[in-house]
Structures are given as C-alpha cells and as structure tokens.
Amino acid sequence: MTPLQTRKLWRMGAGYLIAFTLWYLSVKWLPLAAFARLPDPVTVLKEWFAPEPAYGISIFTGAYYKHIIASTLRAFAAFILAVALGVPAGILMGWSSTFHDYAAALIGLLRPIPPLAWVPLAILLLPAAEVAVVYVTFLVAFFATTLNTLVGVKAIDPDYLRAARCLGANRRDLLRDIIVPGALPQIFTGLQIAMGAAWFSLAAGEMIAAQYGLGFLIMDAYNLIQYPTIVIAMVTLGILGFLSSAGIRLLGDRLMRWRSGAMGLHR
Amino acid sequence: MNDVLHQGALSIRQAGKIYDPAGAAVVALEDCSAEIRAGEFVAIVGPSGCGKSTLLNAIAGFDRLTSGEILLDGVTLASPGTEPRPGPQRVVVFQHGALFPWMTVLENVIYGPTRQRVLGADAARAKALDMLRRCGGLDTAGQRYPGQLSSGMQRRVEIVRALMNEPKVLLLDEPFRAMDTVSKSAMHRHLLDIHALYPKTVLFITHDLEEALFLADTVYVMTTRPGRMKTMLRVNLARPRTLDMLVSHEYLELKRQVVAGVHEEAQKAFERGERELA
Amino acid sequence: MADATAGQTVTACNAPGGFSRLARLTGVNWRGALAVVAFVLGWELLVRFKALGFAAVPGPLESLTAFWATYASKASYWESWFASFRRVVAGFVLAQLLGIPLGLFLGTRERLRELMFPVLELMRPIPPIAWVPLSILFWPTHELSIIFITFIGAFFIIVINVHDGVRTIKQEHLWLARSLGAGEAMIFRRIVLPSVLPAISVGMTLGIAVTWNVVIAAEMIAGDNGLGRLTWEGYVSHTSTVVIIGMVSIGFAGYLSSALVSWLLHKLTPWRA
C-alpha cells in the first residue's frame, strides 16, 4: 500500500470515528431534549449484534432476515420489470420517431407525478397492497431506465450508424450491433439511477402500505417505541441500496470491457 | 484481377445540392462535375464548408442530390430521384474515425463481409488477418479494442475494414485531419503502400493542398459555397512517391499553379464564416 | 465542416407524410396529443366498463367535474398547495444554502474531503423517507421534521454534484490563473464558481424533483396538511375523486417547480443554451 493510500485510510477511519463520537456525545451529554430522544450509536450497535436483542431485531434473529428478503424481493421484482420494459421502450423511442412522439407525450404527462403520489391509487387499482408497493417502485425505475436509454441512443455518433450501413448492415443489424452496444454505457448509468430510485420508493411505499419489509420495520419500530431498531433498519436499507448499485456497476464493467484500459486516444 | 481494376469509374455530372433549413436555401453544391477513372487516386481540396462533405455524402449514399447525377461504372448512384442507399461498393473512412469501440479490431474488420454474408466467419477472419498483416503488421492487434490503439493504428484498421468489402471506391473524409505532422507523414506512407497493394479508386477529401499533391493522381480544387470544381490538376509525379519529391521541381511547380487559388477560396470561406457569425 | 445531416434523428427513415408533415407545418406533436387523448379516453372507458380494479376509481370526467364543483373554490384545497410548496421551498433552499458551500469545501480541501466524504457516502444510500421517524423524534413539530426530510432529499444530491464539479475543474485553468497572479479569492470567484455552475444546475434540477417526492411521502406518513395528505385522506375516507385530484395537483405542482428552477438556472448561466 502506498503512503497516500495509507493516509487516506487513516483519515477515513478518523472521519467515521469523529462522526460516531459526535453522534454519541450529542445524544448522551448535550443537555438538549431533542438529541436525548434519539438512540445513540453504542446502543444501536449493541442491539444490532446482540444474540438476544431487547426489541427482537438483530443479526441473530430470523425476523431481521425476513424483512430484508421481503424488501430485496420487492426491489428486484420491480427493478427487473423496469429494465425488461424500460430498455426496449427507450431503444424504440430512439429508433422510431413515430413511437417517440407517442411515448414522449405520455411520459411527459405521467412523470411529473411523484411515485409516492401513486400509492393510494395503486392500492385502489391493484388487487393487493403488495402489488401496489411493487408497482410504485417499478414506476420510478421504469422512467429512469427508459429516459436514460433514450439519451444513450440519441448520443450515439451518427458516423457509427453510417459506417455500419456502408459495411452492409440492415436495420436489424444496426439495432443489435450499433444501437444496443452504443447506448450501453448510458443504459447502465440509467440502471444505477433506477436502482437508487427503486429503493427510495420501496422504503416509502413499505412505510405507507406494507405489512413487512424494512420500510415497514422502521415505521413499526417507531410506533412501538423501539428506537434502536429504526436505525438498524435505516442502515440496512442503506447497505442494500449500496450493494445493489455496486453490483450493477460491476456487471456494467464486465459487459463493457472495451471501455477499460483505453489509452484515451479514441474520442 | 484485371476486371476488378477496371471497376470504380465515377462520373459526377452537374451535381447540385440545396439545403433548405427553414426556407433560407443554402447552395452547398452547384454544377459540380468530375470524371474519375477506375483505380485513380483523386484528392479534392477546399476550405471548410465548401461542400466537399456534401459531395462525399451523396456518393456514399447518406444524402440525396437536388440536381445532377453521380454514376458508378455507368449505374446511377445519386440523383434527385434516387433513394440514397449506402453500401459496400463505396465505403467511407470518417474524419473522426468510426471503428466501433465495443468490437475488437478483428470483429470490426470482419464486420462488412459477415454482415453481407459474402464470407463465413472463419474465412472472413483469415482474410482479415492476412490484410491486417500486409497493411503494416496490424494482425497482432486483432484482439485489442480500438480504444487501446494509437490514432494512427485506428485509422489504418479503419481503412482495412473498408477494403475488406472489395469496394469499388474508397472515400476518405479528411482522415488525418486531427494528426500531428509526424504521424500524418507516417500515415501518408501507409496509405500509399496500401493503395499500391489494393489499387482501388480513392476519393480523398482534404483541406491540405500539399497532402493532396503528394498522394493523388489528380487534384480537384473546389470553390466555396456554392461548391463547384474550380481547377483540375494532373499530378505527374512517379509512383512510388517518396519524400524527396516534396522538394522536386515538378511538385513545387504544381503547387505554384494552384496555391493562389486555394488560398483565395480559403479566404472567401473565412470571411463568410466571419459574416455568418456576426 | 458543416455537416448538414448530423442533426437528423438516428433513423429518419419515416416517409414524410401524414402526422410528420402536419407536425412540421404546425410545430405541434400531434401524435403526442393523440396519445394523451387516447390515454384519457382509455381511462374513462375502463372505468365505465369497470374493468380490472377500475371499479373503485373515478373516471377523468367525474374527477374534473368534482374538481370544478367543489375543490376549485375550496380554501382548504388551495391551502394544501400552499403548505406543500412552503415545505418544498424551505427544504430545497436550505439544502442549497448548506450543500453548495459544503460541496465546494469538500472539493477544494483535501483533508476535509478525506475525513468527511466516506461518512457522507455511508449516509447517502439511506432513502430520505427512512429518516421520517427519527426526524419526528428529533424536531419539536411535524412541520420542521417534514422540512428536514425534504432537506435531506435535496442535500446529498447537491453536495455530491458540486463536489464532483469542483474536482473536474481543469488544472490548466488554475495554473494559468496563478501564473497570471490571481489570488485564492480571485481564483475562487472567477474560475471555481463558474466552473461548478453546471454541476450546481444538475444538482438543483435533480434535487427539486426528489424534493417533491419526499414531501408527498412525508406528508402521507406524518403530515397534518398538504397535497400528499389530501391525497392520502381521499384514500382513507374512500373519496377516490380526491385521490385523482390530489395526484394531478401534485403532478402540476412538481412540473411548475421544475419549470421554475430551470428558468432560474437559465437566468444564472446564460452561456448555456
């Protein structure tokens, strides 16, 4: 490890330590009621790693994993659906100006409505609250995927398309050989945004309308005055969100190996 | 072989193109004519915005002419009534390079023949490696991505990708524009070697008169908007061309004949640019 | 070289006829208009025939009538607008006021960056809505806690964007400025600030959209009033016309504030088209 990396690591550790100490001290020692009501980090950590937690949720309890699995399944169901529909929709919008005209108007109409505003209607429309939460999560991820894919298709250098046509590509070849790989970097940017947005909506949806899941756990713990559990669920949501974006980034790097090791000479 | 050599005669007859952005008709090309023999290396020189690219786009099948016609071996390529259709008979090498960055060098080079289904993948690969090797030992770079090559290598690979299709005409759109003098000179050497190896009709578009005289059999100087052929010049320098020719009497004499004309057009284009920006 | 075809869309294979010609002549996206009409018509029909879950939902006509008859003139409806807007503005402005300086500091001060950035990165993936309970615990009033959550929603986005913007400033520009004798203050004002304006603009554009998202969710969970609360109460009290009116109002409100922000940004950075 280079001295620079060592220094960075030290400072990172110091940063975490300062943050945790500040949190601890403000809860424990500051004579302010507002802070005193919050759970302190030591209690949270103890609870999180306790074999027999005071409020029933720790890494040793099955309930914790039940909530994690419920949220993850919902997030991934919504995300996969969003990708399966959003990527083709975005490509089609970039591909055909006719389709673009129709779809752009509908997206322009529906997109300004925040996903959470859909929750009540979704519960009314759809057979179960479960489906409603997934639908709301899907919706944001879908818009993010579609629009980023469209941007990616539009950003493809027209010379690539001309070159391919010179070389004898037909319309289907153009789609497979130029449009899809050319838009891939932007598609993956979109997928990362979509994943973030999906977790965001999922948490909110679960807090409003679900019976289990991490969002529900946060709300439930609040209602039952189990404050350390709130923080455990929040941090878990953060970790899951982080892991899913990291996974997408990794997959993207694997699929787009042509972008790594470039000498920067190609434009 | 002889048969191939006699293909690629291009005749440009009173070609005209008027762009109509919101009614303000811009005459990019007007009454532009040239007869290009099969296998000839032709350079078209003119300042930016003189309609060189318009002409190239019409020949390549990217864009429609508004008057006149262009024929390849007697067959109409472009006319106001012809639907523009690019194809492997005339392949373009682009100004900024258009190798597909997501395909390896080899995948790029076999793209044409495999998409046109004239060669199977294995045959195409064998042919590609052979051509890459002949064109300066590029075969060793076959598994690399374009982004990992120098810009000079990228441009040569792109030329090989074009030649793989056995085109009748090779269209080079200012391919060395962004290069420094040394790389450019090296690329001239490579291009001349490749042309000697695969003597196709070449249409080389540039704004660099010296480059044009050094490379081409015939140099056309284009006027600026409307784009028209102003001067035609036969370059009677022997082949293979060597660097010492750049200081030969014949070369300098040719240069003397057209340099004033080219400069005049460049000045006109520059002033028009100033006016349009103002 | 002027490339006259570069502006064409990727395909441009559609024959110029029908809608395309009409669109060129009038400058209106007629296909889009048709799609919107079809959408509204489809909705009305689905409700009429009670297809799927639509039995429980009012049609567009019914919603519009209800809106004109009762809500357009109802003070409480417009108070909802005001309440939500106030929260959005408060949270958003606060996020910019604190987030832009912090982003600039993090981008320019290496030591501070290495200390604080990992902590921010740790907190960023936590969905802002997940802060609701802690926020309610901490702040004395629900109003303040909703504003705080709204603030969180826009805060991380602007900090990260400004930070990234500072880090992409060309070193050459800084060297040039120094060699011309510019002091730190001058460099900051003439180089750093203009260079990060695009990043600020991206951060604000993303932030305002997230802000509305957060406000609506927070109001549904913990609000006493506001458009989110209105919509939620419509659901709870089985007056589904209110659900539709609430949603459409929220859409309008979000659209309006995004338009406002982009107009402001356009005024701030006139050199960007």
Side-chain angles (χ1 to χ4, degrees), chain A residues 70-95:
Chain A
S71 290
T72 310
L73 281 182
R74 285 183 186 131
F76 274 80
F79 178 75
I80 288 167
L81 200 64
V83 175
L85 294 175
V87 171
I91 287 176
L92 211 60
M93 282 175 81
W95 186 234

Side-chain angles (χ1 to χ4, degrees), chain A residues 195-239:
Chain A
M195 201 60 182
W199 278 106
F200 169 100
S201 297
L202 180 76
E206 286 180 342
M207 287 171 81
I208 298 172
Q211 300 309 313
Y212 44 93
L214 290 164
F216 165 78
L217 181 62
I218 290 177
M219 230 30 225
D220 198 41
Y222 169 69
N223 289 328
L224 298 174
I225 329 185
Q226 302 170 338
Y227 297 149
T229 306
I230 296 178
V231 181
I232 294 176
M234 280 173 71
V235 175
T236 309
L237 267 174
I239 293 172

Side-chain angles (χ1 to χ4, degrees), chain A residues 157 159-160 265-267, chain B residues 93-99 151 154-155 158 173-178, chain C residues 1 3:
Chain A
D157 189 331
D159 278 356
Y160 291 145
L265 290 162
H266 200 272
R267 80 194 135 122
Chain B
V93 173
F94 290 86
Q95 195 180 120
H96 303 284
L99 285 177
S151 57
Q154 288 176 17
R155 223 36 64 84
E158 198 174 344
D173 187 4
E174 302 203 44
F176 312 139
R177 184 179 194 165
Chain C
M1 175 138 237
D3 192 345

Side-chain angles (χ1 to χ4, degrees), chain A residues 8-19:
Chain A
K8 270 192 166 169
L9 221 61
W10 271 110
R11 289 216 173 129
M12 193 169 111
Y16 286 135
L17 201 68
I18 293 171

Side-chain angles (χ1 to χ4, degrees), chain C residues 83-156:
Chain C
S84 294
F85 250 104
R86 202 181 47 204
R87 289 167 186 149
V88 165
V89 170
F92 181 76
V93 170
L94 216 60
Q96 311 311 313
L97 287 182
L98 294 176
I100 293 172
L102 182 62
L104 287 172
F105 268 122
L106 287 179
T108 47
R109 304 291 143 103
E110 196 65 17
R111 190 175 302 167
L112 189 73
R113 190 188 104 85
E114 286 173 8
L115 274 176
M116 273 192 77
F117 205 69
V119 178
L120 282 178
E121 284 285 286
L122 196 71
M123 293 169 75
R124 194 163 64 116
I126 299 174
I129 300 299
W131 289 91
V132 167
L134 284 191
S135 179
I136 298 174
L137 282 179
F138 184 81
W139 297 98
T141 66
H142 275 199
E143 187 65 22
L144 282 176
S145 61
I146 294 180
I147 291 174
F148 173 74
I149 298 156
T150 314
F151 160 82
I152 296 258
F155 179 70
F156 287 108

Side-chain angles (χ1 to χ4, degrees), chain A residues 7 11-12 15 34 37 95 97-98 101-102 105 114-117 123 125 161-162 171 207-208 218-219 222 227 238, chain C residues 5 10-11 13-14 29 31-32 53 111 114-115 118 125 128-129 133 136-138 213 220-221 232 235 247 250-251:
Chain A
R7 196 197 73 194
R11 289 216 173 129
M12 193 169 111
R37 285 194 293 267
W95 186 234
S97 58
T98 309
D101 286 354
Y102 288 122
L116 275 309
I123 302 174
L125 267 177
L161 292 160
R162 292 171 165 190
R171 266 174 81 85
M207 287 171 81
I208 298 172
I218 290 177
M219 230 30 225
Y222 169 69
Y227 297 149
Chain C
T5 51
V10 177
T11 51
C13 287
N14 304 297
N29 176 0
R31 287 200 188 99
R111 190 175 302 167
E114 286 173 8
L115 274 176
I129 300 299
I136 298 174
L137 282 179
F138 184 81
N213 248 322
M220 284 187 178
I221 297 169
W232 185 247
Y235 163 69
M247 270 180 75
I250 293 165

